[in-house]
Amino acid sequence: MPLRMTLQTQLVLRDLLAEPDAERYGLAVVDGTGLPPGTIYPILTRLETAGWVTSRWEDVDPRAEGRPRRRFYRLTADGARQARTALAQVEERRRRPGRASVVRSAGAEA
C-alpha cells in the first residue's frame, strides 16, 4: 500500500532527510517539525510498516537516566531513496502550470 503524502508526512520525511543516516528519537522529530507527538508517532509507525524507517529502543535504565527510554528512528537506504522520490513528485505536482493558474484564478476573484 503506497504511503499518503500528507503535509505532515512530508514534514516528517524532510526532517529525517536532513540527516538521513542519523538516528532521531520521536521528540526530536516533534521539535524538528513543530508537529504534535500525536501526529508524529502514527506517521513514524506507518513509515516503519512501509519499510522506509527502522526503529530501536535505547538500552538504558530509565531510573538511572531519570527519564523514560527513547525509541530511535532512522531512514533505511531504500526509505531515503523513496522519500526523496516521493517529495520530488509532490513538488512536481505543485509546480504544474495548470494547478498554478487555478490557484491564481481563484485568488484573483477574491
Side-chain angles (χ1 to χ4, degrees):
M1 171 181 261
L3 286 170
R4 286 184 45 221
M5 279 298 120
T6 64
L7 178 58
Q8 293 85 356
T9 300
Q10 293 170 48
L11 291 171
V12 170
L13 289 173
R14 289 181 202 290
D15 187 65
L16 293 172
L17 282 169
E19 293 182 65
D21 295 327
E23 284 188 318
R24 310 257 332 244
Y25 66 99
L27 287 179
V29 178
V30 167
D31 290 343
T33 62
L35 297 170
T39 300
I40 295 294
Y41 289 107
I43 291 170
L44 290 170
T45 299
R46 284 193 296 276
L47 292 172
E48 187 169 18
T49 299
W52 292 25
V53 167
T54 60
S55 71
R56 70 171 182 87
W57 285 102
E58 94 181 308
D59 188 21
V60 298
D61 179 359
R63 287 186 212 154
E65 293 294 319
R67 61 169 172 78
R69 290 187 313 154
R70 294 175 176 163
R71 187 170 189 124
F72 287 93
Y73 299 88
R74 177 186 297 190
L75 283 167
T76 63
D78 190 49
R81 181 186 57 74
Q82 289 187 69
R84 287 184 186 101
T85 299
L87 291 172
Q89 289 171 348
V90 167
E91 190 59 33
E92 179 61 31
R93 283 192 298 268
R94 282 190 191 131
R95 293 180 185 199
R96 285 188 187 148
R99 180 178 172 154
S101 63
V102 170
V103 172
R104 276 195 298 270
S105 297
E109 296 172 8

